[in-house]
Amino acid sequence: MRRVRIAAYGLLAVVAALWGGYWFTNGGAKRLGLDGDALGVSAGVTVGGPFKLVDSAGKPVSDTDFRGKWMLVYFGYSFCPDVCPTELQVIASALDGLGPDAAKIIPIFITIDPERDTPEIIGGYVKLFDDRLIGLTGSVADIAAVARAYRVYYAKAERKDTTQYLMDHSSFIYLMGPDGKLRGLYRPGSTAQELTATLRTRLAGS
Ligand code: NI
């Protein structure tokens, strides 16, 4: 357990370093946005990548299905008591703020709790927040692979008092460009207004 936590902090440190590096490089001006090209060169770390998952109908879905569209990707789980609902609400509000341009962006929620989040459950869950949200799940191995690609940390947090468990997980929102490359990284607690503003800038520049 301890080793898992150390590894987890390592991953968080990588994400934090990436984010901090961008803050620094961009002088804070684009504080919530990253330039995909610069990311690959200066950080030498790729965030994001191919995935093979299933949607709420159990239909296979891969990253290439979304090429040509922007993806706003968030990882969490439907049993999450606090953070996930907040962040999904932020995503929904941010898209509302964009108006018709929101159609260029596909919001995607990927579970890191595939044992409980079946296609049906994940589908029903995301619809509570926004009809545009696409919920994805997959096998334990496929979820582990996509989480690794996105540098997402997650782990079961067992509780003594009940058979239910919570999941610890990192909570960044990823903006992927029409080419599938990382174009923005939003830290936990970003507001819908901040997302809308940087999304608008990104869409205008594409
Ligand atoms: Ni959560």
Side-chain angles (χ1 to χ4, degrees):
M1 197 59 213
R2 190 169 174 187
R3 203 170 303 164
V4 169
R5 284 195 187 270
I6 290 168
Y9 287 130
L11 277 180
L12 283 178
V14 167
V15 173
L18 277 173
W19 197 87
Y22 269 92
W23 176 283
F24 184 76
T25 319
N26 295 329
K30 301 179 195 168
R31 57 187 272 256
L32 293 173
L34 309 179
D35 179 69
D37 294 336
L39 185 76
V41 174
S42 67
V45 176
T46 308
V47 176
F51 59 75
K52 287 195 189 301
L53 299 170
V54 295
D55 67 12
S56 59
K59 192 167 72 70
V61 171
S62 78
D63 57 299
T64 54
D65 295 333
F66 302 102
R67 281 301 177 280
K69 293 270 193 182
W70 293 77
M71 297 189 295
L72 208 46
V73 185
Y74 183 72
F75 291 80
Y77 68 116
S78 71
F79 289 81
C80 186
D82 42 33
V83 180
C84 292
T86 305
E87 297 298 311
L88 289 174
Q89 194 58 58
V90 164
I91 288 172
S93 301
L95 292 177
D96 287 343
L98 277 179
D101 275 346
K104 297 174 184 168
I105 302 174
I106 313 277
I108 298 173
F109 181 69
I110 301 178
T111 185
I112 42 79
D113 185 16
E115 290 168 50
R116 284 187 298 193
D117 283 339
T118 61
E120 193 180 4
I121 287 178
I122 202 79
Y125 181 67
V126 295
K127 295 303 175 212
L128 296 174
F129 298 91
D130 198 295
D131 277 338
R132 293 166 290 194
L133 266 166
I134 292 179
L136 300 180
T137 184
S139 69
V140 169
D142 286 342
I143 292 297
V146 67
R148 206 178 307 123
Y150 278 79
R151 319 272 161 186
V152 171
Y153 155 68
Y154 67 102
K156 261 186 201 175
E158 307 281 358
R159 293 190 303 180
K160 289 204 182 82
D161 54 327
T162 162
T163 54
Q164 293 294 325
Y165 59 89
L166 297 177
M167 299 291 293
D168 291 333
H169 66 95
S170 54
S171 184
F172 287 84
I173 298 170
Y174 304 81
L175 176 65
M176 312 304 287
D179 57 359
K181 299 253 167 61
L182 181 71
R183 297 294 301 279
L185 188 59
Y186 303 89
R187 60 181 170 163
S190 298
T191 66
Q193 289 76 15
E194 286 171 325
L195 255 77
T196 299
T198 54
L199 289 174
R200 207 182 285 290
T201 307
R202 286 280 172 268
L203 291 175
S206 67

